[in-house]
């Protein structure tokens, strides 16, 4: 191919340019016309033609050592170019792309090919935004249209000749014409089926292609011999007029219909990655980097490092996960969390890469980049979940393992029965019915029933902020009858806040906050953070305290502006000489309401009290009501005091409270409930919840929680909103219902189809199923299963 059309790239320095491994041209990665992944590296091309050549024989061009220099530094999500979208790769470029079978995820290869078990084309384990050319689909489509072009006149000729009995066209001449038309259809268009069938025999794993090849091959090669050597056939094969029936039209039509099914199936399978590609499209191409000197410039997303300061302008996508340093805005997080209402962000707020900034501009610090971002982790988790196996798949696997040998046996028995007692021509009828049995009994629908539903269901969950770690968790969640919650960070916000400041006589609320904040300034206790935050909100000035003495479990004492100040429990201030507390009754009522109360004393006089509580998340009451409405037994499991836990439980209507539990005790309680015969789900967010999450039948981690909790859980709620559990339950029910529908349809189809194809209805109704109709029914069964699974993309959660 001539390359005179190449244009030198503009906008990249010599060091930034990559080399097209096919033609040697220098290519700007940002403006490359095409790019391809190979063994974990990305190669850039000047045109689609070079990329196609490379894909067909990469080793040929790599032997020239023209690999792209950028390929070793590919981030999890590459920025898009004007001509081609971006690419997501596995956890590291060094791992390379891995391919697996949608129906048999235990099959993993480092290059594309066919599954040795079922013959399906292997797919990348991690979806990519740039959909590389699907060579199997291209090939099958080309073969399909040629088969249609030749099979259509072949079928017309066979039907017209049978109906018209035209004298000018002899039976022999018609058979030769049919042979010429059918041969390229069966031997070229249908060649992949014979190749995959032979591989299945070598691997001792008979599959759908074994049956298809046997059926079409039998019909074609019998007809071929009947044309070439008609004299060798006995009378049992011949019609009343002595002619030999041939089945070229059946072999060609079956091949065309199976190719149609393959084309429709491959297109539908491409659509199962829609959810992941939608997530990948969230990643922006570039980030606006703020230099130490204040200068700003746009850099590729993969160039962003941890700690970089980034400017996010109104309407832009946030490039990576990080923390707001300056500014305020509202961020649309709906594509990650499923929640449509923008979330307010101010200094100190965390922001997520891929979400959309509102009308404000802000400065952020990059905290997680590349494969560490939430978006990249979501893509990885969903990809792995889509390849996992649900326990219900075992039923289909067991049936499928016996299915193909059983069908071959039924076909043989059908042939024998028709040859022995069937109407004349007996052997011709025996052959046709045996072929019909082989064709209609294709087990493809049975094998696709579960994995297709899991792939679509987990993708749909990701779009709603529900990440499914594996198919087993998705299946088990439907059966859960007991739901355990951690309190802090799960039901509550996990950030204590001051709820009341009540001064004693002669003092003001500002006085109380001023003295308390001065004592707490150097403390890292959560209660100290709440007091200091409240003082900052009310613009209360604080001084440094001297001589601070900390009494663990009791409180603090020190000097503030020459005054002796104590802050802590009522017993603590009593010990320091405060004779009586006028606010003690009020403090007791606040404690009963689940709040923590600290007393302030100044110069041995009561100055006031501060009430602190961990407020409930705004969505918690609604979520608890919805879960209770589903008939779940709700249990709160917390290390907090019983009074605080029971107060929260009363407000929410939780059935059972287990309080003052040590972290190691949480797992034991989960095991005890399981021993009682309950299906237990555990929702938590902290390191101390990890043992319980792992011990539960299904662990549910809050997305804002620790990495340890998320790794221990089977389901992660991106936003940490308990309403996500309701969504996850609905998704679980919808997916399992879809799987059962698919399995039922596949079982019923084969249970009814095989006997009909064998001819059991002929003695009663004179009904025979032609191989062509059997092929159409087989194609319809597979496509209908995939179509039913794709309905999950629209399920309301």
């Amino acid at each position: 191919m001539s390359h005179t059309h190449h244009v030198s790239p503009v906008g990249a320095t010599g060091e930034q340019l990559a080399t097209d491994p096919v033609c040697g041209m220098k290519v700007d990665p940002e403006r490359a016309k095409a790019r391809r992944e190979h063994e974990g590296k990305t190669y850039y091309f000047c045109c689609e033609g070079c990329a196609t050549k490379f894909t067909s024989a990469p080793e040929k061009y790599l032997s020239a050592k023209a690999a792209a220099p950028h390929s070793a530094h590919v981030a999890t999500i590459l920025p898009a170019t004007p001509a081609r979208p971006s690419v997501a790769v596995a956890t590291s470029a060094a791992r390379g792309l891995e391919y697996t079978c949608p129906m048999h995820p235990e099959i993993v290869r480092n290059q594309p090919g066919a599954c040795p078990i079922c013959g399906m084309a292997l797919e990348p384990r991690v979806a990519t935004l740039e959909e590389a050319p699907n060579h199997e689909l291209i090939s099958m489509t080309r073969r399909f249209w040629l088969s249609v072009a030749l099979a259509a006149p072949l079928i017309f000729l066979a039907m017209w000749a049978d109906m018209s009995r035209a004298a000018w066209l002899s039976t022999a001449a018609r058979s030769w014409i049919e042979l010429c038309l059918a041969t390229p259809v069966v031997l070229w268009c249908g060649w992949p089926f014979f190749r995959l069938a032979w591989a299945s025999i070598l691997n001792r794993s008979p599959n759908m292609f074994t049956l298809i090849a046997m059926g079409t091959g039998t019909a074609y090669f019998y007809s071929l011999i009947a044309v070439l050597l008609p004299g060798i056939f006995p009378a049992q094969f011949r019609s009343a007029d002595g002619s030999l029936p041939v089945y070229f039209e059946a072999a060609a039509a079956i091949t065309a219909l199976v190719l149609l099914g393959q084309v429709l199936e491959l297109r539908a399978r491409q659509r199962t990655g829609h959810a992941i590609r939608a997530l990948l499209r969230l990643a922006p191409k570039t980030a606006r980097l703020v230099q130490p000197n204040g200068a700003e410039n746009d850099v590729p997303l993969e160039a962003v490092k941890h700690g970089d300061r980034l400017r996010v302008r109104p309407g832009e996508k946030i490039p990576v996960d990080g923390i707001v340093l300056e500014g305020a805005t509202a961020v649309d997080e709906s594509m990650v969390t499923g929640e449509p209402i923008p979330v307010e962000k101010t200094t100190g707020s965390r922001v997520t890469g891929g979400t959309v900034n509102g009308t404000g501009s802000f400065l952020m610090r990059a905290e997680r980049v590349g494969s560490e971002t939430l978006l990249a982790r979501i893509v990885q988790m969903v990809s792995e979940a889509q390849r996992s196996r649900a326990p219900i798949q075992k039923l289909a696997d067991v049936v499928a393992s016996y299915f193909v040998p059983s069908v071959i046996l039924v076909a043989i028995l059908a042939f024998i029965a028709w040859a022995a007692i069937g109407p004349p021509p007996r052997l011709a009828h025996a052959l046709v019915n045996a072929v019909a049995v082989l064709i209609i009994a294709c087990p493809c629908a049975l094998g696709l029933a579960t994995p297709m539903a899991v792939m679509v269901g987990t993708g749909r969950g990701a779009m709603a902020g529900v990440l499914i770690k594996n198919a087993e968790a998705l299946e088990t969640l439907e059966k859960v009858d007991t739901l355990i919650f951690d309190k802090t960070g799960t039901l509550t916000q996990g950030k204590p806040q001051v709820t009341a400041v009540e001064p004693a006589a002669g003092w003001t609320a500002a006085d109380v906050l001023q003295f308390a904040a001065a004592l707490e300034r150097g403390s890292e206790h959560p209660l100290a953070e709440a007091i200091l935050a409240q003082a900052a909100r009310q613009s209360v000035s604080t001084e440094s305290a001297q001589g601070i003495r900390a009494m663990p479990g009791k409180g603090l004492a020190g000097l503030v502006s020459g005054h002796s100040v104590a802050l802590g429990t009522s017993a603590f201030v009593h010990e320091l000489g405060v004779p009586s507390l006028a606010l003690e009754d009020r403090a007791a009522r606040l404690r009963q309401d689940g709040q923590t109360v600290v007393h302030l004393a100044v110069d041995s006089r009561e100055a006031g009290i501060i009430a602190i509580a961990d407020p409930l998340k705004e969505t918690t009451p609604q979520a608890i009501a919805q879960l209770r409405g589903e008939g779940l037994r709700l249990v709160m499991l917390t290390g907090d005091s019983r009074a605080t836990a029971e107060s929260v439980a009363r407000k929410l209507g939780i059935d059972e409270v287990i309080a003052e539990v040590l972290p190691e005790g949480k797992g034991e309680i989960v095991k005890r409930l399981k021993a009682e015969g309950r299906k237990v789900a555990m929702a938590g967010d902290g390191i101390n919840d990890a043992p319980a999450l792992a011990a539960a039948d299904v662990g549910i981690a809050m997305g804002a929680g620790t990495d340890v909790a998320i790794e221990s859980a089977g389901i992660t709620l991106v936003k940490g909103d308990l309403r996500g559990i309701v969504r996850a339950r609905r998704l679980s029910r919808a997916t399992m219902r879809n799987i059962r529908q698919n399995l039922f349809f596949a079982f019923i189809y084969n249970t009814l189809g095989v006997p009909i194809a064998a001819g059991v209805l002929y003695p009663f109704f004179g009904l025979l199923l032609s191989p062509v109709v059997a092929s159409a029914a087989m194609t319809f069964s597979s496509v209908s299963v995939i179509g039913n699974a794709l309905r999950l993309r629209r399920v309301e959660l």
Side-chain angles (χ1 to χ4, degrees):
M1 173 182 287
S2 172
H3 292 282
T4 56
H5 60 283
H6 294 167
V7 179
S8 299
V10 178
T13 67
E15 293 181 356
Q16 294 172 332
L17 295 178
T19 302
D20 185 326
V22 176
C23 67
M25 290 291 295
K26 292 294 183 181
V27 181
D28 181 356
E30 290 298 313
R31 295 178 171 83
K33 297 297 184 183
R35 63 179 73 188
R36 294 290 186 270
E37 292 284 340
H38 179 69
E39 295 185 351
K41 295 183 179 181
T42 301
Y43 298 91
Y44 302 89
F45 301 89
C46 63
C47 65
E48 191 65 40
C50 284
T52 302
K53 283 186 176 183
F54 177 82
T55 303
S56 64
E59 300 303 330
K60 171 184 175 182
Y61 299 102
L62 293 182
S63 61
K65 298 183 180 180
H70 285 64
S71 58
H73 306 287
V74 179
T76 299
I77 301 175
L78 290 176
T81 68
R84 304 292 291 179
S86 59
V87 182
V89 298
T91 52
S92 71
R95 276 182 55 187
L97 281 176
E98 293 181 331
Y99 296 82
T100 186
C101 173
M103 291 169 55
H104 301 92
E106 68 273 17
I107 301 299
V108 179
R109 299 287 186 269
N110 59 4
Q111 58 186 3
C115 173
I117 298 177
C118 66
M120 293 181 71
L122 302 181
E123 299 176 349
R125 295 183 76 177
V126 179
T128 61
L129 182 51
E130 177 187 356
E131 292 186 69
N134 188 330
H135 296 291
E136 186 187 27
L137 177 58
I138 294 171
S139 173
M140 288 293 182
T141 303
R142 185 185 302 120
R143 294 173 190 270
F144 166 68
W145 285 115
L146 179 60
S147 70
V148 169
L150 296 177
L154 173 59
I155 295 171
F156 173 78
L157 175 63
M159 294 176 61
W160 177 76
D162 287 341
M163 290 186 295
S164 67
R165 303 291 180 185
W168 61 269
L169 186 64
S170 68
T171 301
R174 190 191 74 184
S175 297
W176 278 100
I177 294 173
E178 290 182 2
L179 170 60
C180 294
L181 290 172
T183 298
V185 175
V186 176
L187 298 187
W188 186 80
C189 298
W191 174 248
F193 307 147
F194 292 101
R195 176 175 53 82
L196 293 170
W198 179 246
S200 74
I201 294 172
L202 294 179
N203 290 292
R204 298 180 182 178
S205 57
N207 53 45
M208 61 172 283
F209 296 109
T210 313
L211 301 179
I212 292 169
M214 289 180 66
T216 56
T218 300
Y220 173 79
F221 288 106
Y222 156 77
S223 302
L224 176 65
I225 296 173
V227 172
L228 298 178
L229 302 170
I232 69 172
F233 289 90
Q236 290 88 339
F237 274 99
R238 300 179 182 275
S239 301
D241 60 359
S243 63
L244 279 172
V246 291
Y247 303 103
F248 289 120
E249 81 281 2
I254 290 170
T255 301
L257 285 167
V258 174
L259 284 168
L260 173 61
Q262 289 295 294
V263 169
L264 294 176
E265 178 185 315
L266 288 167
R267 288 180 178 175
R269 278 164 53 191
Q270 280 189 323
R271 295 169 62 191
T272 60
H274 170 80
I276 295 182
R277 286 190 287 273
L279 288 170
L280 290 173
R281 291 188 187 99
L282 297 176
K285 297 186 298 182
T286 60
R288 191 161 187 82
L289 180 65
V290 179
Q291 305 289 354
N293 62 4
E296 298 182 7
N297 62 290
D298 291 335
V299 297
L301 188 63
E302 66 267 27
V304 176
K305 302 184 295 295
H306 180 275
D308 282 350
R309 294 191 305 156
L310 308 173
R311 173 75 62 189
V312 183
R313 292 167 292 191
E316 290 185 334
K317 291 180 178 178
I318 297 171
V320 296
D321 299 358
I323 296 176
V324 177
L325 299 177
E326 296 176 9
T329 188
V331 175
D332 179 0
E333 298 181 337
S334 59
M335 287 301 290
V336 177
T337 66
E339 291 296 323
I341 301 175
V343 180
E344 296 293 329
K345 303 290 183 180
T346 57
T347 301
S349 298
R350 292 190 175 275
V351 289
T352 302
T355 54
V356 182
N357 184 27
T359 57
S361 174
F362 64 90
L363 186 68
M364 65 173 286
R365 182 176 66 246
E367 294 289 324
R368 291 184 174 182
V369 300
S371 61
E372 298 177 349
T373 64
L374 176 62
L375 186 58
R377 292 166 69 195
I378 288 174
V379 169
Q380 184 69 21
M381 185 179 292
V382 174
S383 295
E384 291 175 356
Q386 289 186 334
R387 307 300 176 190
S388 63
R389 298 173 71 83
I392 196 172
Q393 177 69 22
K394 295 177 182 177
L395 173 63
D397 290 343
V398 171
V399 173
S401 65
Y402 295 100
F403 191 79
V404 175
S406 300
V407 168
I408 295 174
L409 178 61
V410 171
I412 294 172
L413 293 176
F415 182 90
I416 294 172
W418 279 91
I421 60 175
R426 289 180 177 178
L427 291 182
H429 278 104
L431 180 67
V432 169
N433 284 281
V435 169
V437 169
L438 293 173
I439 296 299
I440 200 169
C442 174
C444 188
L446 191 62
L448 289 170
T450 298
M452 286 298 149
V454 169
M455 290 176 71
V456 181
T458 51
R460 177 66 183 90
M463 301 304 296
V466 178
L467 304 185
I468 311 296
K469 191 173 186 179
N470 53 58
E472 183 177 0
L474 186 64
E475 178 176 338
T476 305
L477 185 61
E478 181 195 36
K479 306 170 186 175
V480 165
D481 55 22
T482 300
L483 183 56
I484 302 175
F485 303 98
D486 173 52
K487 182 181 75 68
T488 305
T490 302
L491 297 173
T492 65
Q493 296 179 12
K495 297 179 180 179
Q497 297 179 8
V498 172
T499 57
V501 178
E502 300 193 11
W507 298 89
T508 66
D511 294 334
V512 174
L513 274 178
Q514 183 177 12
F515 282 111
L519 278 182
E520 298 283 18
R521 179 174 290 278
S523 174
E524 295 181 355
H525 194 280
L527 299 185
E529 293 181 10
I531 291 172
L532 291 170
Q534 185 69 14
R537 278 193 293 269
Q538 296 189 8
S539 301
V540 173
S541 60
T542 59
E543 300 179 11
S544 298
Q546 290 82 39
I548 296 177
R549 305 187 311 278
M551 303 294 291
K554 294 184 178 181
L556 298 170
L559 292 175
V560 179
S561 300
H563 297 279
S564 175
V565 181
L567 181 70
T569 65
S570 57
F572 178 62
V573 295
H574 275 307
E575 290 177 10
L576 296 181
V578 178
S580 62
L581 298 174
L583 297 175
E584 180 58 36
D585 290 343
R586 172 59 178 156
R589 289 193 296 272
L590 289 170
R591 292 190 192 98
Q592 289 177 355
D593 195 37
Q595 301 185 53
T596 300
V597 179
V598 292
H599 292 261
L600 178 71
V602 180
D603 296 331
S604 300
R605 291 172 47 223
E606 181 184 29
I609 59 174
I610 300 176
I612 301 172
D614 185 4
L616 294 171
K617 294 177 180 177
E618 292 182 4
T619 58
T620 294
Q622 179 187 355
I624 294 296
Q626 291 175 337
L627 292 167
R628 193 168 56 244
E630 295 201 359
L632 292 173
R633 177 186 177 188
L634 305 180
V635 180
M636 182 196 298
L637 184 60
T638 179
D640 277 2
S641 68
R642 177 162 296 278
T644 300
E646 288 182 345
S647 172
V648 173
R650 282 195 302 272
K651 293 177 182 176
L652 295 175
I654 292 177
D655 304 315
E656 183 179 350
V657 176
I658 304 175
E660 300 173 356
V661 180
L662 296 175
E664 56 269 24
K666 290 185 176 182
E668 295 302 319
I669 290 172
V670 170
K671 293 176 183 177
R672 174 171 60 80
L673 289 171
K674 289 175 63 178
E676 295 174 1
R678 293 191 165 272
K679 280 288 183 182
V680 178
M682 168 73 190
D685 73 323
I687 294 176
N688 61 334
D689 297 319
L693 291 171
D697 293 297
V698 182
I700 303 172
M702 302 293 109
T706 65
D707 290 344
V708 174
I710 292 172
E711 287 299 319
S712 302
I715 294 175
T716 299
L717 309 180
V718 173
K719 193 178 180 182
D721 182 348
L722 284 177
R723 290 178 300 179
I725 299 179
V726 181
R727 295 192 192 100
R729 289 263 295 177
R730 291 173 181 165
L731 177 64
S732 174
R733 284 196 295 267
T735 303
M736 295 311 300
R737 182 168 59 248
N738 192 281
I739 289 174
R740 293 188 187 101
Q741 290 168 352
N742 286 347
L743 288 175
F744 174 80
F745 184 84
F747 278 125
I748 291 297
Y749 163 80
N750 285 293
T751 301
L752 298 178
V754 171
I756 293 174
V760 296
L761 297 181
Y762 184 79
F764 308 101
F765 306 103
L767 177 64
L768 285 177
L769 195 65
S770 81
V772 175
V773 175
S775 178
M778 179 271 294
T779 298
F780 171 75
S781 71
S782 299
V783 174
S784 62
V785 163
I786 297 175
N788 189 45
L790 290 174
R791 290 192 309 113
L792 287 171
R793 292 168 54 188
R794 299 186 297 273
V795 67
E796 289 295 329
L797 301 180

